């Protein structure tokens, strides 16, 4: 800190040392000015401020107005005029250019001292306050941008909610009263929207369906989701009547409150035609009880439902534990096998006997064959997988060392064995084909076949034994 230096002339009738002490206590920076506003001396209470303003080399002997930015010069003239004419001291915000390129804000007030017209300008460093103000401005702008994004997103979702062709209700998680209903839901229930709002959800159904609705909401609250439930909707029309619908629900949480998002699908008319006949229901029951695993997933591989056999393979006690999880968690090599399966399903529609492994939840793997198909559905396309345990009849080692008899069999090994094994299998297959062709061309004359292949007879016999070709009991004949 540069100490306040006594001016070369006395500051009126006030002792210079007293003035220095007064200035040091009252301001971050002080300037001693002559009556014309030229800087004659200075004191700075902050080394960083002294360095930023480069006062020592540029300020002494210069007009005060020349040390500030252009827009601050009229304020300097006003401060000098008020101090010279005995006006009440006023504080004004001035900006000084700095060596770092960022203006330094200083709050100044000027007073006349002594009888010779000398002035003292006291300044307070506003950089800390300016930085705080800038942070507040940035935070406010960020909040406004976030609010604008939220408002736009809310508008889009409200438009989608209102325009959806599906009947959707939003219920209060505690009272189960309807908080919002789109026009499709109002039309389905035979109510206008404002009459539906505030209605207890279960009161929309016939008495025999109320218990099913309460059970559905309780299951969703406990597990986050539940299977669709069929119920009878009591129509609020002059004619009365009921309507068969399928009800599904999802739990939503917002801060400390919870809500139910309920979807209603009419089952009458064209929808009723989708009900399973008795024979198809038996087929579905067979899939549920089959010894092979059956899994239905979203197009991204997330499990929708699975039968008990698959749950036993992956060592999970209940279907709820598997729902929503990616099949990649258990099938083959993570990030590889499921991607291969889904890519082929998108291209071909079906896959048969894809060999891979299944990783159990608590350790261990089993060899499986997976057959899969894409399930077309305009509303919710999905993928179906049949998983068969083949560990008891085919080990990894036997698959890796068995000799393929055709290119098709060799191609099927891709993804099941290493590239090194594939190259060896390919070499063996080509070598066998050449030996068979040579024996055919020479009418099974092994001496001629060996000469044609550039082998000794002994080497040819070794390869014949390896590949199981010809009648080796006659290998002494030529």
């Amino acid at each position: 800190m540069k100490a306040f230096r006594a001016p070369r002339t006395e500051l009126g009738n006030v002792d210079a040392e007293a003035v220095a002490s007064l200035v040091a206590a009252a301001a971050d920076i002080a300037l001693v000015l002559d009556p014309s506003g030229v800087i004659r001396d200075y004191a700075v209470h902050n080394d960083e401020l002294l360095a930023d303003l480069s006062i020592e080399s540029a300020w002494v002997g210069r007009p005060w107005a020349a040390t500030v930015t252009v827009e601050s010069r009229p304020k300097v003239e006003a401060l000098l005029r008020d101090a010279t004419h005995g006006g009440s001291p006023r504080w004004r915000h001035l900006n000084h250019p700095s060596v770092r390129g960022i203006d330094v804000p200083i709050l100044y007030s000027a007073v006349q001292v002594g009888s010779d017209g000398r002035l003292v300008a006291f300044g307070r460093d506003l950089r800390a306050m300016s930085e705080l103000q800038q942070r507040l401005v940035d935070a406010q702008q960020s909040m406004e941008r976030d609010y604008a994004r939220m408002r736009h997103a809310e508008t889009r979702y409200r438009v989608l909610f209102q325009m959806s062709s599906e009947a959707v209700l939003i219920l209060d998680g505690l009272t189960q009263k309807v908080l919002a209903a789109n026009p499709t839901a109002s039309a389905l229930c035979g109510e206008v929207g404002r009459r539906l709002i505030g209605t207890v959800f279960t009161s929309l159904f016939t008495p025999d369906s109320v218990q099913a609705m309460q059970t559905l909401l309780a299951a969703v609250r406990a597990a986050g989701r539940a299977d669709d439930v069929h119920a009878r909707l009591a129509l609020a029309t002059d004619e009365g009547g009921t309507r068969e619908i399928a009800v599904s629900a999802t739990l939503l949480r917002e801060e400390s409150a919870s809500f139910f998002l309920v979807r209603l699908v009419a089952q009458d008319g064209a929808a009723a035609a989708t009900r399973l006949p008795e024979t198809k229901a038996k087929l579905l029951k067979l899939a549920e009880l089959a010894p092979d695993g059956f899994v239905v997933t979203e197009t991204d591989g997330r499990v929708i439902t699975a039968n008990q056999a698959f749950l036993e393979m992956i060592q999970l006690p209940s279907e709820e534990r598997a729902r929503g999880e990616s099949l990649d968690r258990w099938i083959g090599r993570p990030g590889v096998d499921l991607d291969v399966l889904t890519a082929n399903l998108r291209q071909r529609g079906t896959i048969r006997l894809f060999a891979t492994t299944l990783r159990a939840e608590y350790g261990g793997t089993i060899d499986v064959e997976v057959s899969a198909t894409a399930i077309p559905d305009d509303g919710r396309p999905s993928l179906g997988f049949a998983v068969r345990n083949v560990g008891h009849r085919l080990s990894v080692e036997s698959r890796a060392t068995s000799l393929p008899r055709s290119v098709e069999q060799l191609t099927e090994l891709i993804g099941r064995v290493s590239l090194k094994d594939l190259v060896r299998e390919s070499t063996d297959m080509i070598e066998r084909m050449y030996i068979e062709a040579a024996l055919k061309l020479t009418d099974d004359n092994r001496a001629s076949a060996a000469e044609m292949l550039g082998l000794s007879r002994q080497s040819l016999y070794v390869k014949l034994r390896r590949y199981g070709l010809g009648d080796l009991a006659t290998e002494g004949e030529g």
Side-chain angles (χ1 to χ4, degrees), residues 118 140 142 193 197 215 239 252 254-255 265 274 287 306 318-319 326 346 348 363 370-371 373 382-383 411 419 434:
R118 290 293 178 110
Q140 180 66 25
S142 177
I197 303 303
T215 302
E239 296 79 11
L252 304 176
E254 182 178 333
E255 296 181 352
V265 180
T274 62
S318 64
E319 186 181 359
S326 175
R346 284 193 293 268
R348 305 177 185 176
V370 178
S371 296
T373 185
S382 52
L383 306 177
T411 304
L419 178 61
Y434 283 144

Side-chain angles (χ1 to χ4, degrees), residues 167-208:
V168 180
L169 303 175
I170 297 178
L171 313 180
D172 183 271
L174 295 177
T175 64
Q176 297 181 6
K177 291 184 178 181
V178 178
L179 300 179
N182 67 349
T184 306
S186 299
L188 182 65
C189 298
E191 294 272 15
V192 295
R194 61 178 177 272
R195 292 176 57 187
L196 193 59
I197 303 303
T199 303
V200 177
F201 176 63
T202 53
S203 68
L204 301 175
F205 298 87
T206 59
D208 59 327

Side-chain angles (χ1 to χ4, degrees), residues 246-453:
V247 185
S248 60
T250 303
L251 185 66
L252 304 176
R253 297 191 184 277
E254 182 178 333
E255 296 181 352
S256 59
S258 60
F259 305 90
F260 293 106
L261 179 66
V262 179
R263 176 173 171 261
L264 311 177
V265 180
Q267 298 295 290
D268 49 6
T274 62
R275 296 178 186 171
L276 290 176
E278 184 178 355
T279 54
K280 293 297 183 182
K282 290 182 178 180
L283 183 62
L284 184 61
K285 192 67 174 179
L286 173 63
E288 178 63 32
L289 300 176
D292 292 337
F294 288 92
V295 189
V296 179
T297 72
E298 305 278 4
T299 53
D300 62 356
R302 296 196 175 275
V303 175
I304 298 175
T305 184
N307 71 347
Q308 188 61 37
F310 181 78
L311 297 176
E312 291 175 358
M313 289 181 185
I314 62 175
Q315 300 176 348
L316 284 184
S318 64
E319 186 181 359
E320 286 73 17
R321 293 279 300 276
R323 284 178 184 166
E325 297 290 338
S326 175
L327 194 59
D328 188 54
R329 176 175 172 179
W330 303 289
I331 287 288
R333 293 161 293 179
V336 178
D337 288 24
L338 182 61
D339 290 346
V340 172
L341 283 167
T342 54
N344 279 275
L345 285 174
R346 284 193 293 268
Q347 294 177 359
R348 305 177 185 176
T350 59
I351 292 178
R352 298 178 184 274
L353 304 179
F354 180 87
T356 182
T357 58
L358 193 70
R359 300 186 304 278
E361 189 72 11
Y362 300 109
T365 60
I366 57 176
D367 297 316
V368 296
E369 287 180 347
V370 178
S371 296
T373 185
I375 305 173
D377 189 329
D378 293 337
R380 190 183 185 186
S382 52
L383 306 177
F385 297 86
V387 183
R388 171 167 292 181
N389 184 352
V390 296
H392 61 282
R393 64 177 175 84
L394 185 63
S395 65
V396 174
E397 291 77 14
S398 64
R399 289 202 306 271
T401 58
S402 62
L403 180 66
R405 290 181 174 271
S406 67
V407 175
E408 289 76 11
Q409 289 177 318
L410 186 64
T411 304
E412 291 178 359
L413 292 177
I414 296 176
R416 297 160 55 183
V417 299
S418 66
L419 178 61
K420 180 180 178 180
D421 293 332
L422 284 174
V423 172
R424 188 181 69 249
E425 299 290 355
S426 302
T427 303
D428 291 345
M429 182 183 68
I430 294 171
E431 189 174 62
R432 174 175 176 164
M433 290 171 58
Y434 283 144
I435 293 174
E436 288 179 335
L439 291 173
K440 185 176 181 180
L441 290 173
T442 60
D443 292 329
D444 205 29
N445 187 316
R446 294 168 188 171
S448 298
E451 184 178 356
M452 181 180 293
L453 295 170

